[in-house]
Amino acid sequence: MHVPDEQVVEELSSTAADDVADDDGSDANDSSSEGGSRKDELEISDLTEAERFITFSDAVIAIAMTLLILPLMEATSEIAAEDEEQIITVQQFFAENADKVGAFFISFWVVAQFWMAHDKAFRYVGRFSRRLVLLNFLWMLGIVFLPVVTGLLTSSPDRLGVVVYILTMLITNMVGGLMLYVIRSDRRVW
């Protein structure tokens, strides 16, 4: 096991203190004490932190996309039923589950569009402010909730499922717009 020496621990501690100061509005790049190398260390540290959070966001989106298929996976059990009278053909499966299949493809496409917009917006983000972290978590909440509202969309006998689905997409999109505004207006995250 590698044990960091005292100099590395001091540098990490001062980097963490600078990050806390950054959240209060000060600029860590103004306090370069080692002739430029300190600035480079901060940029590498901050970039890694941003990449880690962006990777986490990507994983949440991937899981949400995977969850969209679960209602169809549950329905496929009817194809391989033990009782021969209950066995359905693939054609019958798609006829009986057309609404679920349609909702899956629409929701998959919607989440893919959200991910592409997120990827484009965060491509040059090097650091996260607290506001941006909060907005990103709210945005991910909307993405994670989409499989639930997709299930409501296909199983609810009334139109409330459609309303909840549309509201979820609108709110998620508005939070995404707020994130983009924060990214563009707060130069500290670049």
PDB file of all heavy atoms in Angstrom, residues 55-72:
ATOM      1  N   THR A  55     -19.136  11.681 -15.061  1.00  0.00           N
ATOM      2  CA  THR A  55     -19.215  10.234 -15.232  1.00  0.00           C
ATOM      3  C   THR A  55     -20.340   9.648 -14.390  1.00  0.00           C
ATOM      4  O   THR A  55     -21.076   8.766 -14.835  1.00  0.00           O
ATOM      5  CB  THR A  55     -17.867   9.576 -14.868  1.00  0.00           C
ATOM      6  OG1 THR A  55     -16.856  10.128 -15.701  1.00  0.00           O
ATOM      7  CG2 THR A  55     -17.911   8.072 -15.049  1.00  0.00           C
ATOM      8  N   PHE A  56     -20.497  10.156 -13.172  1.00  0.00           N
ATOM      9  CA  PHE A  56     -21.604   9.731 -12.314  1.00  0.00           C
ATOM     10  C   PHE A  56     -22.946  10.056 -12.986  1.00  0.00           C
ATOM     11  O   PHE A  56     -23.855   9.222 -13.008  1.00  0.00           O
ATOM     12  CB  PHE A  56     -21.495  10.412 -10.949  1.00  0.00           C
ATOM     13  CG  PHE A  56     -22.674  10.146 -10.051  1.00  0.00           C
ATOM     14  CD1 PHE A  56     -22.850   8.904  -9.467  1.00  0.00           C
ATOM     15  CD2 PHE A  56     -23.601  11.136  -9.786  1.00  0.00           C
ATOM     16  CE1 PHE A  56     -23.937   8.637  -8.639  1.00  0.00           C
ATOM     17  CE2 PHE A  56     -24.682  10.892  -8.956  1.00  0.00           C
ATOM     18  CZ  PHE A  56     -24.853   9.643  -8.384  1.00  0.00           C
ATOM     19  N   SER A  57     -23.068  11.245 -13.542  1.00  0.00           N
ATOM     20  CA  SER A  57     -24.295  11.630 -14.245  1.00  0.00           C
ATOM     21  C   SER A  57     -24.555  10.698 -15.422  1.00  0.00           C
ATOM     22  O   SER A  57     -25.695  10.275 -15.651  1.00  0.00           O
ATOM     23  CB  SER A  57     -24.202  13.075 -14.739  1.00  0.00           C
ATOM     24  OG  SER A  57     -24.023  13.966 -13.664  1.00  0.00           O
ATOM     25  N   ASP A  58     -23.515  10.387 -16.181  1.00  0.00           N
ATOM     26  CA  ASP A  58     -23.659   9.463 -17.311  1.00  0.00           C
ATOM     27  C   ASP A  58     -24.141   8.094 -16.841  1.00  0.00           C
ATOM     28  O   ASP A  58     -24.978   7.464 -17.491  1.00  0.00           O
ATOM     29  CB  ASP A  58     -22.327   9.313 -18.058  1.00  0.00           C
ATOM     30  CG  ASP A  58     -21.939  10.554 -18.833  1.00  0.00           C
ATOM     31  OD1 ASP A  58     -22.799  11.446 -19.020  1.00  0.00           O
ATOM     32  OD2 ASP A  58     -20.765  10.644 -19.241  1.00  0.00           O
ATOM     33  N   ALA A  59     -23.624   7.628 -15.709  1.00  0.00           N
ATOM     34  CA  ALA A  59     -24.038   6.328 -15.174  1.00  0.00           C
ATOM     35  C   ALA A  59     -25.502   6.349 -14.749  1.00  0.00           C
ATOM     36  O   ALA A  59     -26.245   5.387 -15.010  1.00  0.00           O
ATOM     37  CB  ALA A  59     -23.153   5.937 -13.994  1.00  0.00           C
ATOM     38  N   VAL A  60     -25.934   7.435 -14.127  1.00  0.00           N
ATOM     39  CA  VAL A  60     -27.340   7.558 -13.723  1.00  0.00           C
ATOM     40  C   VAL A  60     -28.239   7.509 -14.954  1.00  0.00           C
ATOM     41  O   VAL A  60     -29.271   6.830 -14.963  1.00  0.00           O
ATOM     42  CB  VAL A  60     -27.566   8.856 -12.914  1.00  0.00           C
ATOM     43  CG1 VAL A  60     -29.042   9.159 -12.742  1.00  0.00           C
ATOM     44  CG2 VAL A  60     -26.884   8.745 -11.562  1.00  0.00           C
ATOM     45  N   ILE A  61     -27.842   8.193 -16.008  1.00  0.00           N
ATOM     46  CA  ILE A  61     -28.628   8.197 -17.240  1.00  0.00           C
ATOM     47  C   ILE A  61     -28.665   6.797 -17.848  1.00  0.00           C
ATOM     48  O   ILE A  61     -29.718   6.327 -18.291  1.00  0.00           O
ATOM     49  CB  ILE A  61     -28.058   9.224 -18.241  1.00  0.00           C
ATOM     50  CG1 ILE A  61     -28.221  10.626 -17.670  1.00  0.00           C
ATOM     51  CG2 ILE A  61     -28.734   9.108 -19.594  1.00  0.00           C
ATOM     52  CD1 ILE A  61     -27.405  11.680 -18.375  1.00  0.00           C
ATOM     53  N   ALA A  62     -27.536   6.112 -17.864  1.00  0.00           N
ATOM     54  CA  ALA A  62     -27.492   4.752 -18.419  1.00  0.00           C
ATOM     55  C   ALA A  62     -28.404   3.812 -17.639  1.00  0.00           C
ATOM     56  O   ALA A  62     -29.112   2.980 -18.228  1.00  0.00           O
ATOM     57  CB  ALA A  62     -26.056   4.230 -18.415  1.00  0.00           C
ATOM     58  N   ILE A  63     -28.414   3.939 -16.334  1.00  0.00           N
ATOM     59  CA  ILE A  63     -29.287   3.091 -15.509  1.00  0.00           C
ATOM     60  C   ILE A  63     -30.746   3.419 -15.791  1.00  0.00           C
ATOM     61  O   ILE A  63     -31.583   2.516 -15.929  1.00  0.00           O
ATOM     62  CB  ILE A  63     -28.938   3.244 -14.011  1.00  0.00           C
ATOM     63  CG1 ILE A  63     -27.569   2.635 -13.735  1.00  0.00           C
ATOM     64  CG2 ILE A  63     -30.005   2.608 -13.136  1.00  0.00           C
ATOM     65  CD1 ILE A  63     -26.990   2.988 -12.375  1.00  0.00           C
ATOM     66  N   ALA A  64     -31.071   4.695 -15.902  1.00  0.00           N
ATOM     67  CA  ALA A  64     -32.455   5.093 -16.200  1.00  0.00           C
ATOM     68  C   ALA A  64     -32.894   4.529 -17.555  1.00  0.00           C
ATOM     69  O   ALA A  64     -34.021   4.047 -17.700  1.00  0.00           O
ATOM     70  CB  ALA A  64     -32.590   6.609 -16.186  1.00  0.00           C
ATOM     71  N   MET A  65     -32.010   4.559 -18.538  1.00  0.00           N
ATOM     72  CA  MET A  65     -32.342   4.008 -19.856  1.00  0.00           C
ATOM     73  C   MET A  65     -32.573   2.504 -19.763  1.00  0.00           C
ATOM     74  O   MET A  65     -33.448   1.961 -20.436  1.00  0.00           O
ATOM     75  CB  MET A  65     -31.250   4.342 -20.868  1.00  0.00           C
ATOM     76  CG  MET A  65     -31.180   5.816 -21.198  1.00  0.00           C
ATOM     77  SD  MET A  65     -29.840   6.223 -22.318  1.00  0.00           S
ATOM     78  CE  MET A  65     -30.717   6.177 -23.881  1.00  0.00           C
ATOM     79  N   THR A  66     -31.793   1.849 -18.934  1.00  0.00           N
ATOM     80  CA  THR A  66     -31.961   0.408 -18.756  1.00  0.00           C
ATOM     81  C   THR A  66     -33.278   0.092 -18.067  1.00  0.00           C
ATOM     82  O   THR A  66     -33.973  -0.866 -18.430  1.00  0.00           O
ATOM     83  CB  THR A  66     -30.777  -0.159 -17.938  1.00  0.00           C
ATOM     84  OG1 THR A  66     -29.562   0.166 -18.605  1.00  0.00           O
ATOM     85  CG2 THR A  66     -30.892  -1.662 -17.782  1.00  0.00           C
ATOM     86  N   LEU A  67     -33.652   0.892 -17.089  1.00  0.00           N
ATOM     87  CA  LEU A  67     -34.908   0.659 -16.361  1.00  0.00           C
ATOM     88  C   LEU A  67     -36.133   0.805 -17.260  1.00  0.00           C
ATOM     89  O   LEU A  67     -37.191   0.235 -16.966  1.00  0.00           O
ATOM     90  CB  LEU A  67     -35.016   1.614 -15.174  1.00  0.00           C
ATOM     91  CG  LEU A  67     -34.035   1.372 -14.037  1.00  0.00           C
ATOM     92  CD1 LEU A  67     -34.181   2.459 -12.979  1.00  0.00           C
ATOM     93  CD2 LEU A  67     -34.218  -0.004 -13.431  1.00  0.00           C
ATOM     94  N   LEU A  68     -36.011   1.547 -18.335  1.00  0.00           N
ATOM     95  CA  LEU A  68     -37.145   1.733 -19.245  1.00  0.00           C
ATOM     96  C   LEU A  68     -37.633   0.409 -19.838  1.00  0.00           C
ATOM     97  O   LEU A  68     -38.810   0.268 -20.161  1.00  0.00           O
ATOM     98  CB  LEU A  68     -36.764   2.693 -20.384  1.00  0.00           C
ATOM     99  CG  LEU A  68     -36.585   4.150 -20.011  1.00  0.00           C
ATOM    100  CD1 LEU A  68     -35.970   4.921 -21.173  1.00  0.00           C
ATOM    101  CD2 LEU A  68     -37.911   4.760 -19.589  1.00  0.00           C
ATOM    102  N   ILE A  69     -36.765  -0.560 -19.984  1.00  0.00           N
ATOM    103  CA  ILE A  69     -37.113  -1.827 -20.624  1.00  0.00           C
ATOM    104  C   ILE A  69     -37.813  -2.799 -19.672  1.00  0.00           C
ATOM    105  O   ILE A  69     -38.439  -3.764 -20.111  1.00  0.00           O
ATOM    106  CB  ILE A  69     -35.856  -2.493 -21.243  1.00  0.00           C
ATOM    107  CG1 ILE A  69     -36.213  -3.563 -22.269  1.00  0.00           C
ATOM    108  CG2 ILE A  69     -34.963  -3.067 -20.181  1.00  0.00           C
ATOM    109  CD1 ILE A  69     -36.808  -3.047 -23.528  1.00  0.00           C
ATOM    110  N   LEU A  70     -37.751  -2.554 -18.374  1.00  0.00           N
ATOM    111  CA  LEU A  70     -38.288  -3.521 -17.411  1.00  0.00           C
ATOM    112  C   LEU A  70     -39.760  -3.887 -17.626  1.00  0.00           C
ATOM    113  O   LEU A  70     -40.100  -5.071 -17.533  1.00  0.00           O
ATOM    114  CB  LEU A  70     -38.042  -3.051 -15.982  1.00  0.00           C
ATOM    115  CG  LEU A  70     -36.579  -3.069 -15.542  1.00  0.00           C
ATOM    116  CD1 LEU A  70     -36.457  -2.624 -14.096  1.00  0.00           C
ATOM    117  CD2 LEU A  70     -35.950  -4.433 -15.739  1.00  0.00           C
ATOM    118  N   PRO A  71     -40.665  -2.941 -17.909  1.00  0.00           N
ATOM    119  CA  PRO A  71     -42.049  -3.370 -18.170  1.00  0.00           C
ATOM    120  C   PRO A  71     -42.168  -4.354 -19.339  1.00  0.00           C
ATOM    121  O   PRO A  71     -42.970  -5.286 -19.305  1.00  0.00           O
ATOM    122  CB  PRO A  71     -42.773  -2.059 -18.481  1.00  0.00           C
ATOM    123  CG  PRO A  71     -41.976  -1.014 -17.798  1.00  0.00           C
ATOM    124  CD  PRO A  71     -40.555  -1.492 -17.883  1.00  0.00           C
ATOM    125  N   LEU A  72     -41.343  -4.187 -20.355  1.00  0.00           N
ATOM    126  CA  LEU A  72     -41.368  -5.125 -21.483  1.00  0.00           C
ATOM    127  C   LEU A  72     -40.761  -6.470 -21.102  1.00  0.00           C
ATOM    128  O   LEU A  72     -41.225  -7.515 -21.557  1.00  0.00           O
ATOM    129  CB  LEU A  72     -40.623  -4.542 -22.686  1.00  0.00           C
ATOM    130  CG  LEU A  72     -41.366  -3.438 -23.429  1.00  0.00           C
ATOM    131  CD1 LEU A  72     -40.475  -2.823 -24.491  1.00  0.00           C
ATOM    132  CD2 LEU A  72     -42.635  -3.979 -24.051  1.00  0.00           C
TER     133      LEU A  72
END
